[in-house]
Amino acid sequence: MSSESSVLRVLRCAPTHLDHRRVLKDVLPFSAFLTDSFERRHNYLRISLTEKCNLRCQYCMPQEGVTLTPRSHLLTAEELLMLARLFVREGVNKIRLTGGEPLIRPDVLHIIAELRKLEGLKTIAVTTNGMNLTRLLPSLKKAGVDLLNISLDTLVPAKFELITRRKGFHKVMEGIEKAIEMGYNPVKVNCVVMRGLNEDEVIDFVSLTERKPLDVRFIEYMPFDGNRWNFKMMVSYQEMLDCLKQKWPNLEPVPGEETDTAKGFRVPGFRGQLGFITSMSEHFCGSCNRLRITADGNLKVCLFGNSEVSLRDFLRSGATEEELLHIIGAAVGRKKKQHAGMFNISQMKNRPMILIGG
């Protein structure tokens, strides 16, 4: 008997426990299944649509590449939408589609259009490398995409090719301009900052926000399998902030929501803004409201944790929605107070970023 079947058998024989959690769900204003032991409510779900990507970014994919999961082991559109419906019913109101590169999945527009029909889902976001964005943007907007995050780590075409191991800088810039033209405001630009590669460009990136409705987010370099992370390459939030304040002493903080991942700032008079995602130097685990489903159907409750639960296997073993909820609830309930710290994370076995969902 498979482990999934054994778990389902236990669940089906435990009506008292099921009833208890059902009562909790009825009483609490937010789903007990998506609330962890530290009372963090998880209303934001990131779903990876594919492990494939048309770039090979150094911080995301190992130089030797990755072994892709067989197609039969990946979530189908129907399975993905079934899980999305379940999470939204329990209180998730924001879904972000990631990859790999989500826009290379052939049925991405169908998936977005079906997500848009979910009552209670307020926001559909997409994180993309921008390579296919210009061509797909009209259809993405029509299908219902509310927010766009575009990855761009340099403003120098030759350096773009060095970081991504591919050509395509001008395609990405064209995609950013097209998103602005089509009314996305702000357009978020994600920039992973690495010493010796692009830390000298932070001022140039912020200068883009003077006349464009961009939210440039500087991300501290994070350790994942195969990206050869080392502490010396990490540029901390404080170091970047100090650099920018030398250029703009009047840089001012921007108030944000409690669950925001970025510390926001703005140069007075500039149209856009900037932010820092400080996962390494100043973690924000205490306000984390995010869960992840990988392309092969595993639930990750923490980006840096190596504990995963295969929702795909339970789905394909015939689990009911109620049983899936308890499996999800158990995983969320085991979520730790905070991640293990950058040095411990760098020694832990975890997926490469491309197989998690960047």
Side-chain angles (χ1 to χ4, degrees):
M1 181 182 294
S2 71
S3 59
E4 292 76 25
S5 299
S6 299
V7 172
L8 294 181
R9 187 176 173 188
V10 170
L11 284 172
R12 287 164 181 161
C13 295
T16 302
H17 176 66
L18 294 178
D19 291 345
H20 170 67
R21 291 302 292 265
R22 195 180 293 112
V23 168
L24 275 177
K25 180 184 179 305
D26 291 340
V27 171
L28 293 177
F30 188 83
S31 172
F33 299 105
L34 300 185
T35 304
D36 67 18
S37 60
F38 302 98
E39 299 304 318
R40 292 174 294 200
R41 297 175 176 183
H42 297 80
N43 63 347
Y44 179 6
L45 179 65
R46 300 173 64 103
I47 302 176
S48 173
L49 295 187
T50 179
E51 297 174 345
K52 295 179 180 178
C53 188
N54 43 7
L55 297 180
R56 297 291 183 271
C57 299
Q58 293 185 24
Y59 52 84
C60 184
M61 183 181 284
Q63 188 169 3
E64 64 276 12
V66 295
T67 302
L68 296 174
T69 303
R71 185 175 179 180
S72 62
H73 293 181
L74 300 175
L75 288 180
T76 65
E78 291 71 24
E79 290 169 333
L80 184 155
L81 290 167
M82 183 271 173
L83 290 173
R85 278 192 291 271
L86 188 60
F87 277 92
V88 170
R89 195 183 76 196
E90 293 301 309
V92 162
N93 58 25
K94 179 178 180 180
I95 289 178
R96 177 174 296 281
L97 301 177
T98 68
E101 169 49 42
L103 300 189
I104 65 175
R105 179 158 170 159
D107 56 357
V108 60
L109 295 173
H110 164 71
I111 289 170
I112 293 168
E114 291 301 308
L115 289 175
R116 189 75 281 168
K117 298 175 183 177
L118 298 181
E119 186 178 351
L121 182 60
K122 296 178 182 177
T123 305
I124 299 174
V126 171
T127 296
T128 172
N129 62 28
M131 294 288 283
N132 296 341
L133 189 56
T134 301
R135 175 173 58 85
L136 287 174
L137 251 177
S139 299
L140 289 169
K141 185 155 192 176
K142 184 178 179 181
V145 173
D146 302 296
L147 299 176
L148 286 171
N149 287 50
I150 303 168
S151 299
L152 180 66
D153 305 307
T154 180
L155 299 173
V156 180
K159 202 185 289 187
F160 178 92
E161 190 173 341
L162 174 67
I163 293 172
T164 67
R165 306 185 183 111
R166 295 289 187 273
K167 296 181 184 295
F169 171 78
H170 297 290
K171 286 184 179 180
V172 180
M173 294 301 292
E174 186 182 355
I176 291 172
E177 292 296 338
K178 183 72 172 178
I180 294 172
E181 178 188 317
M182 294 193 63
Y184 285 97
N185 186 0
V187 175
K188 293 186 177 180
V189 175
N190 292 344
C191 175
V192 177
V193 181
M194 297 165 283
R195 195 180 309 282
L197 275 178
N198 62 348
E199 84 279 14
D200 59 335
E201 294 189 63
V202 292
I203 288 174
D204 294 336
F205 269 100
V206 174
S207 295
L208 290 178
T209 70
E210 183 174 4
R211 294 184 174 87
K212 298 180 189 296
L214 299 176
D215 182 355
V216 176
R217 295 139 58 87
F218 298 112
I219 302 172
E220 292 179 340
Y221 184 34
M222 297 177 279
F224 293 97
D225 271 18
N227 73 353
R228 300 183 181 180
W229 182 91
N230 71 73
F231 175 69
K232 292 179 180 178
M233 283 188 70
M234 195 202 80
V235 183
S236 72
Y237 140 68
Q238 194 60 55
E239 182 178 344
M240 289 185 270
L241 184 60
D242 290 345
C243 170
L244 293 173
K245 282 187 172 180
Q246 289 181 29
K247 173 73 173 175
W248 295 288
N250 57 346
L251 194 67
E252 59 186 22
V254 176
E257 301 294 325
E258 182 186 358
T259 55
D260 284 351
T261 58
K263 293 175 170 65
F265 290 84
R266 173 181 282 113
V267 179
F270 279 25
R271 190 175 176 191
Q273 64 180 62
L274 62 134
F276 301 92
I277 298 181
T278 63
S279 305
M280 297 294 96
S281 65
E282 293 185 21
H283 72 75
F284 35 84
C285 304
S287 60
C288 182
N289 66 336
R290 295 169 298 286
L291 300 171
R292 286 174 164 79
I293 296 177
T294 61
D296 58 350
N298 280 12
L299 175 66
K300 283 180 73 77
V301 297
C302 175
L303 173 62
F304 302 107
N306 51 17
S307 176
E308 301 181 3
V309 177
S310 178
L311 301 182
R312 176 205 65 202
D313 287 351
F314 284 108
L315 263 176
R316 295 180 184 181
S317 294
T320 65
E321 289 191 357
E322 185 76 6
E323 288 162 346
L324 280 170
L325 276 179
H326 287 277
I327 292 156
I328 292 165
V332 172
R334 290 193 297 269
K335 184 168 180 172
K336 295 178 180 178
K337 185 176 182 180
Q338 63 189 60
H339 67 59
M342 59 182 157
F343 294 109
N344 289 325
I345 291 169
S346 68
Q347 302 301 315
M348 288 167 55
K349 184 69 178 171
N350 195 1
R351 297 180 182 222
M353 187 63 176
I354 193 166
L355 299 184
I356 295 175

PDB file of all heavy atoms in Angstrom, residues 228-253:
ATOM      1  N   ARG A 228      25.912  28.037  -6.399  1.00  0.00           N
ATOM      2  CA  ARG A 228      27.260  28.386  -5.922  1.00  0.00           C
ATOM      3  C   ARG A 228      27.253  29.644  -5.066  1.00  0.00           C
ATOM      4  O   ARG A 228      28.152  30.477  -5.140  1.00  0.00           O
ATOM      5  CB  ARG A 228      28.217  28.533  -7.114  1.00  0.00           C
ATOM      6  CG  ARG A 228      28.321  27.250  -7.928  1.00  0.00           C
ATOM      7  CD  ARG A 228      29.306  27.365  -9.063  1.00  0.00           C
ATOM      8  NE  ARG A 228      29.348  26.096  -9.826  1.00  0.00           N
ATOM      9  CZ  ARG A 228      30.124  25.904 -10.883  1.00  0.00           C
ATOM     10  NH1 ARG A 228      30.915  26.871 -11.324  1.00  0.00           N
ATOM     11  NH2 ARG A 228      30.113  24.748 -11.519  1.00  0.00           N
ATOM     12  N   TRP A 229      26.239  29.752  -4.238  1.00  0.00           N
ATOM     13  CA  TRP A 229      26.121  30.909  -3.347  1.00  0.00           C
ATOM     14  C   TRP A 229      27.298  30.965  -2.390  1.00  0.00           C
ATOM     15  O   TRP A 229      27.756  29.944  -1.878  1.00  0.00           O
ATOM     16  CB  TRP A 229      24.819  30.793  -2.545  1.00  0.00           C
ATOM     17  CG  TRP A 229      24.553  31.955  -1.623  1.00  0.00           C
ATOM     18  CD1 TRP A 229      23.854  33.077  -1.918  1.00  0.00           C
ATOM     19  CD2 TRP A 229      24.944  32.080  -0.246  1.00  0.00           C
ATOM     20  NE1 TRP A 229      23.784  33.906  -0.831  1.00  0.00           N
ATOM     21  CE2 TRP A 229      24.450  33.319   0.214  1.00  0.00           C
ATOM     22  CE3 TRP A 229      25.666  31.273   0.633  1.00  0.00           C
ATOM     23  CZ2 TRP A 229      24.652  33.776   1.515  1.00  0.00           C
ATOM     24  CZ3 TRP A 229      25.885  31.719   1.935  1.00  0.00           C
ATOM     25  CH2 TRP A 229      25.376  32.957   2.367  1.00  0.00           C
ATOM     26  N   ASN A 230      27.785  32.157  -2.157  1.00  0.00           N
ATOM     27  CA  ASN A 230      28.703  32.354  -1.036  1.00  0.00           C
ATOM     28  C   ASN A 230      28.476  33.741  -0.464  1.00  0.00           C
ATOM     29  O   ASN A 230      28.043  34.669  -1.161  1.00  0.00           O
ATOM     30  CB  ASN A 230      30.167  32.122  -1.430  1.00  0.00           C
ATOM     31  CG  ASN A 230      30.722  33.210  -2.330  1.00  0.00           C
ATOM     32  OD1 ASN A 230      30.982  34.321  -1.884  1.00  0.00           O
ATOM     33  ND2 ASN A 230      30.890  32.876  -3.609  1.00  0.00           N
ATOM     34  N   PHE A 231      28.779  33.866   0.801  1.00  0.00           N
ATOM     35  CA  PHE A 231      28.457  35.082   1.548  1.00  0.00           C
ATOM     36  C   PHE A 231      29.100  36.321   0.927  1.00  0.00           C
ATOM     37  O   PHE A 231      28.516  37.407   0.930  1.00  0.00           O
ATOM     38  CB  PHE A 231      28.905  34.919   3.002  1.00  0.00           C
ATOM     39  CG  PHE A 231      28.735  36.148   3.841  1.00  0.00           C
ATOM     40  CD1 PHE A 231      27.465  36.592   4.176  1.00  0.00           C
ATOM     41  CD2 PHE A 231      29.832  36.876   4.281  1.00  0.00           C
ATOM     42  CE1 PHE A 231      27.291  37.742   4.945  1.00  0.00           C
ATOM     43  CE2 PHE A 231      29.661  38.023   5.040  1.00  0.00           C
ATOM     44  CZ  PHE A 231      28.394  38.453   5.377  1.00  0.00           C
ATOM     45  N   LYS A 232      30.297  36.167   0.375  1.00  0.00           N
ATOM     46  CA  LYS A 232      31.016  37.312  -0.171  1.00  0.00           C
ATOM     47  C   LYS A 232      30.290  37.930  -1.370  1.00  0.00           C
ATOM     48  O   LYS A 232      30.461  39.106  -1.670  1.00  0.00           O
ATOM     49  CB  LYS A 232      32.430  36.901  -0.577  1.00  0.00           C
ATOM     50  CG  LYS A 232      33.317  36.544   0.614  1.00  0.00           C
ATOM     51  CD  LYS A 232      34.703  36.114   0.166  1.00  0.00           C
ATOM     52  CE  LYS A 232      35.574  35.753   1.359  1.00  0.00           C
ATOM     53  NZ  LYS A 232      36.926  35.278   0.942  1.00  0.00           N
ATOM     54  N   MET A 233      29.486  37.129  -2.062  1.00  0.00           N
ATOM     55  CA  MET A 233      28.743  37.650  -3.228  1.00  0.00           C
ATOM     56  C   MET A 233      27.455  38.355  -2.838  1.00  0.00           C
ATOM     57  O   MET A 233      26.847  39.044  -3.649  1.00  0.00           O
ATOM     58  CB  MET A 233      28.424  36.525  -4.212  1.00  0.00           C
ATOM     59  CG  MET A 233      29.608  36.095  -5.071  1.00  0.00           C
ATOM     60  SD  MET A 233      29.101  34.937  -6.361  1.00  0.00           S
ATOM     61  CE  MET A 233      28.140  36.002  -7.445  1.00  0.00           C
ATOM     62  N   MET A 234      27.017  38.174  -1.596  1.00  0.00           N
ATOM     63  CA  MET A 234      25.754  38.774  -1.169  1.00  0.00           C
ATOM     64  C   MET A 234      25.958  40.242  -0.809  1.00  0.00           C
ATOM     65  O   MET A 234      26.837  40.576  -0.029  1.00  0.00           O
ATOM     66  CB  MET A 234      25.180  38.027   0.025  1.00  0.00           C
ATOM     67  CG  MET A 234      23.725  38.374   0.281  1.00  0.00           C
ATOM     68  SD  MET A 234      23.208  38.043   1.969  1.00  0.00           S
ATOM     69  CE  MET A 234      23.823  39.462   2.836  1.00  0.00           C
ATOM     70  N   VAL A 235      25.151  41.091  -1.400  1.00  0.00           N
ATOM     71  CA  VAL A 235      25.156  42.519  -1.070  1.00  0.00           C
ATOM     72  C   VAL A 235      23.935  42.770  -0.190  1.00  0.00           C
ATOM     73  O   VAL A 235      22.800  42.544  -0.616  1.00  0.00           O
ATOM     74  CB  VAL A 235      25.097  43.395  -2.339  1.00  0.00           C
ATOM     75  CG1 VAL A 235      25.183  44.876  -1.967  1.00  0.00           C
ATOM     76  CG2 VAL A 235      26.215  43.010  -3.302  1.00  0.00           C
ATOM     77  N   SER A 236      24.154  43.212   1.032  1.00  0.00           N
ATOM     78  CA  SER A 236      23.045  43.353   1.976  1.00  0.00           C
ATOM     79  C   SER A 236      22.191  44.580   1.662  1.00  0.00           C
ATOM     80  O   SER A 236      22.640  45.543   1.007  1.00  0.00           O
ATOM     81  CB  SER A 236      23.578  43.462   3.405  1.00  0.00           C
ATOM     82  OG  SER A 236      24.186  44.730   3.602  1.00  0.00           O
ATOM     83  N   TYR A 237      20.991  44.532   2.147  1.00  0.00           N
ATOM     84  CA  TYR A 237      20.050  45.655   2.018  1.00  0.00           C
ATOM     85  C   TYR A 237      20.671  46.947   2.540  1.00  0.00           C
ATOM     86  O   TYR A 237      20.585  48.001   1.895  1.00  0.00           O
ATOM     87  CB  TYR A 237      18.762  45.275   2.760  1.00  0.00           C
ATOM     88  CG  TYR A 237      18.082  46.355   3.551  1.00  0.00           C
ATOM     89  CD1 TYR A 237      17.488  47.445   2.925  1.00  0.00           C
ATOM     90  CD2 TYR A 237      17.999  46.274   4.945  1.00  0.00           C
ATOM     91  CE1 TYR A 237      16.828  48.431   3.653  1.00  0.00           C
ATOM     92  CE2 TYR A 237      17.347  47.247   5.682  1.00  0.00           C
ATOM     93  CZ  TYR A 237      16.769  48.325   5.040  1.00  0.00           C
ATOM     94  OH  TYR A 237      16.129  49.291   5.763  1.00  0.00           O
ATOM     95  N   GLN A 238      21.317  46.874   3.704  1.00  0.00           N
ATOM     96  CA  GLN A 238      21.871  48.078   4.312  1.00  0.00           C
ATOM     97  C   GLN A 238      22.975  48.685   3.452  1.00  0.00           C
ATOM     98  O   GLN A 238      23.071  49.903   3.296  1.00  0.00           O
ATOM     99  CB  GLN A 238      22.418  47.771   5.713  1.00  0.00           C
ATOM    100  CG  GLN A 238      22.693  49.018   6.532  1.00  0.00           C
ATOM    101  CD  GLN A 238      21.441  49.876   6.745  1.00  0.00           C
ATOM    102  OE1 GLN A 238      20.418  49.412   7.238  1.00  0.00           O
ATOM    103  NE2 GLN A 238      21.519  51.158   6.341  1.00  0.00           N
ATOM    104  N   GLU A 239      23.788  47.820   2.848  1.00  0.00           N
ATOM    105  CA  GLU A 239      24.853  48.316   1.979  1.00  0.00           C
ATOM    106  C   GLU A 239      24.260  49.004   0.747  1.00  0.00           C
ATOM    107  O   GLU A 239      24.729  50.073   0.330  1.00  0.00           O
ATOM    108  CB  GLU A 239      25.764  47.154   1.552  1.00  0.00           C
ATOM    109  CG  GLU A 239      26.935  47.573   0.690  1.00  0.00           C
ATOM    110  CD  GLU A 239      27.843  46.416   0.313  1.00  0.00           C
ATOM    111  OE1 GLU A 239      27.766  45.343   0.949  1.00  0.00           O
ATOM    112  OE2 GLU A 239      28.637  46.585  -0.644  1.00  0.00           O
ATOM    113  N   MET A 240      23.240  48.427   0.159  1.00  0.00           N
ATOM    114  CA  MET A 240      22.597  49.054  -0.998  1.00  0.00           C
ATOM    115  C   MET A 240      21.939  50.367  -0.612  1.00  0.00           C
ATOM    116  O   MET A 240      22.040  51.378  -1.321  1.00  0.00           O
ATOM    117  CB  MET A 240      21.565  48.096  -1.609  1.00  0.00           C
ATOM    118  CG  MET A 240      22.159  46.898  -2.316  1.00  0.00           C
ATOM    119  SD  MET A 240      20.894  45.890  -3.135  1.00  0.00           S
ATOM    120  CE  MET A 240      20.441  44.735  -1.831  1.00  0.00           C
ATOM    121  N   LEU A 241      21.268  50.385   0.536  1.00  0.00           N
ATOM    122  CA  LEU A 241      20.585  51.590   1.000  1.00  0.00           C
ATOM    123  C   LEU A 241      21.583  52.718   1.249  1.00  0.00           C
ATOM    124  O   LEU A 241      21.344  53.871   0.863  1.00  0.00           O
ATOM    125  CB  LEU A 241      19.798  51.282   2.274  1.00  0.00           C
ATOM    126  CG  LEU A 241      18.943  52.411   2.847  1.00  0.00           C
ATOM    127  CD1 LEU A 241      17.886  52.857   1.846  1.00  0.00           C
ATOM    128  CD2 LEU A 241      18.285  51.970   4.157  1.00  0.00           C
ATOM    129  N   ASP A 242      22.709  52.393   1.865  1.00  0.00           N
ATOM    130  CA  ASP A 242      23.739  53.404   2.125  1.00  0.00           C
ATOM    131  C   ASP A 242      24.256  53.994   0.817  1.00  0.00           C
ATOM    132  O   ASP A 242      24.479  55.204   0.713  1.00  0.00           O
ATOM    133  CB  ASP A 242      24.903  52.786   2.911  1.00  0.00           C
ATOM    134  CG  ASP A 242      24.522  52.451   4.348  1.00  0.00           C
ATOM    135  OD1 ASP A 242      23.477  52.943   4.815  1.00  0.00           O
ATOM    136  OD2 ASP A 242      25.264  51.685   4.993  1.00  0.00           O
ATOM    137  N   CYS A 243      24.448  53.134  -0.181  1.00  0.00           N
ATOM    138  CA  CYS A 243      24.917  53.590  -1.491  1.00  0.00           C
ATOM    139  C   CYS A 243      23.919  54.567  -2.117  1.00  0.00           C
ATOM    140  O   CYS A 243      24.295  55.626  -2.639  1.00  0.00           O
ATOM    141  CB  CYS A 243      25.141  52.386  -2.399  1.00  0.00           C
ATOM    142  SG  CYS A 243      25.456  52.798  -4.132  1.00  0.00           S
ATOM    143  N   LEU A 244      22.643  54.223  -2.044  1.00  0.00           N
ATOM    144  CA  LEU A 244      21.615  55.066  -2.656  1.00  0.00           C
ATOM    145  C   LEU A 244      21.452  56.385  -1.909  1.00  0.00           C
ATOM    146  O   LEU A 244      21.185  57.430  -2.525  1.00  0.00           O
ATOM    147  CB  LEU A 244      20.288  54.314  -2.705  1.00  0.00           C
ATOM    148  CG  LEU A 244      20.248  53.100  -3.647  1.00  0.00           C
ATOM    149  CD1 LEU A 244      18.945  52.329  -3.478  1.00  0.00           C
ATOM    150  CD2 LEU A 244      20.417  53.535  -5.103  1.00  0.00           C
ATOM    151  N   LYS A 245      21.637  56.371  -0.603  1.00  0.00           N
ATOM    152  CA  LYS A 245      21.486  57.603   0.175  1.00  0.00           C
ATOM    153  C   LYS A 245      22.620  58.591  -0.091  1.00  0.00           C
ATOM    154  O   LYS A 245      22.473  59.789   0.136  1.00  0.00           O
ATOM    155  CB  LYS A 245      21.393  57.270   1.665  1.00  0.00           C
ATOM    156  CG  LYS A 245      20.011  56.761   2.067  1.00  0.00           C
ATOM    157  CD  LYS A 245      19.874  56.605   3.562  1.00  0.00           C
ATOM    158  CE  LYS A 245      18.430  56.287   3.947  1.00  0.00           C
ATOM    159  NZ  LYS A 245      18.274  56.128   5.417  1.00  0.00           N
ATOM    160  N   GLN A 246      23.759  58.082  -0.554  1.00  0.00           N
ATOM    161  CA  GLN A 246      24.830  58.992  -0.960  1.00  0.00           C
ATOM    162  C   GLN A 246      24.413  59.786  -2.195  1.00  0.00           C
ATOM    163  O   GLN A 246      24.765  60.957  -2.352  1.00  0.00           O
ATOM    164  CB  GLN A 246      26.103  58.201  -1.237  1.00  0.00           C
ATOM    165  CG  GLN A 246      26.764  57.635   0.016  1.00  0.00           C
ATOM    166  CD  GLN A 246      28.035  56.865  -0.295  1.00  0.00           C
ATOM    167  OE1 GLN A 246      28.726  57.153  -1.270  1.00  0.00           O
ATOM    168  NE2 GLN A 246      28.347  55.876   0.536  1.00  0.00           N
ATOM    169  N   LYS A 247      23.639  59.139  -3.073  1.00  0.00           N
ATOM    170  CA  LYS A 247      23.144  59.798  -4.281  1.00  0.00           C
ATOM    171  C   LYS A 247      21.899  60.631  -3.988  1.00  0.00           C
ATOM    172  O   LYS A 247      21.739  61.745  -4.493  1.00  0.00           O
ATOM    173  CB  LYS A 247      22.837  58.737  -5.348  1.00  0.00           C
ATOM    174  CG  LYS A 247      22.147  59.252  -6.597  1.00  0.00           C
ATOM    175  CD  LYS A 247      23.057  60.056  -7.487  1.00  0.00           C
ATOM    176  CE  LYS A 247      22.379  60.405  -8.801  1.00  0.00           C
ATOM    177  NZ  LYS A 247      23.203  61.281  -9.641  1.00  0.00           N
ATOM    178  N   TRP A 248      20.996  60.071  -3.180  1.00  0.00           N
ATOM    179  CA  TRP A 248      19.733  60.743  -2.855  1.00  0.00           C
ATOM    180  C   TRP A 248      19.566  60.765  -1.327  1.00  0.00           C
ATOM    181  O   TRP A 248      18.889  59.882  -0.753  1.00  0.00           O
ATOM    182  CB  TRP A 248      18.557  60.010  -3.495  1.00  0.00           C
ATOM    183  CG  TRP A 248      18.558  60.028  -4.992  1.00  0.00           C
ATOM    184  CD1 TRP A 248      18.284  61.102  -5.799  1.00  0.00           C
ATOM    185  CD2 TRP A 248      18.843  58.943  -5.884  1.00  0.00           C
ATOM    186  NE1 TRP A 248      18.362  60.753  -7.125  1.00  0.00           N
ATOM    187  CE2 TRP A 248      18.703  59.433  -7.219  1.00  0.00           C
ATOM    188  CE3 TRP A 248      19.197  57.603  -5.704  1.00  0.00           C
ATOM    189  CZ2 TRP A 248      18.913  58.630  -8.332  1.00  0.00           C
ATOM    190  CZ3 TRP A 248      19.407  56.801  -6.806  1.00  0.00           C
ATOM    191  CH2 TRP A 248      19.274  57.306  -8.102  1.00  0.00           C
ATOM    192  N   PRO A 249      20.144  61.742  -0.646  1.00  0.00           N
ATOM    193  CA  PRO A 249      20.053  61.796   0.831  1.00  0.00           C
ATOM    194  C   PRO A 249      18.619  61.889   1.335  1.00  0.00           C
ATOM    195  O   PRO A 249      18.335  61.530   2.484  1.00  0.00           O
ATOM    196  CB  PRO A 249      20.850  63.068   1.178  1.00  0.00           C
ATOM    197  CG  PRO A 249      21.720  63.333  -0.009  1.00  0.00           C
ATOM    198  CD  PRO A 249      20.948  62.844  -1.199  1.00  0.00           C
ATOM    199  N   ASN A 250      17.715  62.378   0.488  1.00  0.00           N
ATOM    200  CA  ASN A 250      16.319  62.552   0.910  1.00  0.00           C
ATOM    201  C   ASN A 250      15.448  61.332   0.611  1.00  0.00           C
ATOM    202  O   ASN A 250      14.216  61.419   0.655  1.00  0.00           O
ATOM    203  CB  ASN A 250      15.715  63.792   0.245  1.00  0.00           C
ATOM    204  CG  ASN A 250      15.789  63.735  -1.284  1.00  0.00           C
ATOM    205  OD1 ASN A 250      16.506  62.908  -1.857  1.00  0.00           O
ATOM    206  ND2 ASN A 250      15.051  64.617  -1.951  1.00  0.00           N
ATOM    207  N   LEU A 251      16.075  60.212   0.288  1.00  0.00           N
ATOM    208  CA  LEU A 251      15.328  58.973   0.058  1.00  0.00           C
ATOM    209  C   LEU A 251      14.413  58.713   1.249  1.00  0.00           C
ATOM    210  O   LEU A 251      14.837  58.766   2.407  1.00  0.00           O
ATOM    211  CB  LEU A 251      16.329  57.818  -0.107  1.00  0.00           C
ATOM    212  CG  LEU A 251      15.824  56.496  -0.661  1.00  0.00           C
ATOM    213  CD1 LEU A 251      15.408  56.624  -2.114  1.00  0.00           C
ATOM    214  CD2 LEU A 251      16.925  55.428  -0.525  1.00  0.00           C
ATOM    215  N   GLU A 252      13.124  58.450   0.972  1.00  0.00           N
ATOM    216  CA  GLU A 252      12.173  58.313   2.077  1.00  0.00           C
ATOM    217  C   GLU A 252      11.476  56.962   2.042  1.00  0.00           C
ATOM    218  O   GLU A 252      11.207  56.412   0.971  1.00  0.00           O
ATOM    219  CB  GLU A 252      11.124  59.431   2.004  1.00  0.00           C
ATOM    220  CG  GLU A 252      10.323  59.454   0.713  1.00  0.00           C
ATOM    221  CD  GLU A 252       9.401  60.666   0.613  1.00  0.00           C
ATOM    222  OE1 GLU A 252       9.667  61.661   1.307  1.00  0.00           O
ATOM    223  OE2 GLU A 252       8.415  60.592  -0.161  1.00  0.00           O
ATOM    224  N   PRO A 253      11.192  56.395   3.227  1.00  0.00           N
ATOM    225  CA  PRO A 253      10.482  55.111   3.275  1.00  0.00           C
ATOM    226  C   PRO A 253       9.047  55.253   2.818  1.00  0.00           C
ATOM    227  O   PRO A 253       8.432  56.308   2.961  1.00  0.00           O
ATOM    228  CB  PRO A 253      10.557  54.710   4.759  1.00  0.00           C
ATOM    229  CG  PRO A 253      10.811  55.982   5.486  1.00  0.00           C
ATOM    230  CD  PRO A 253      11.539  56.895   4.553  1.00  0.00           C
TER     231      PRO A 253
END
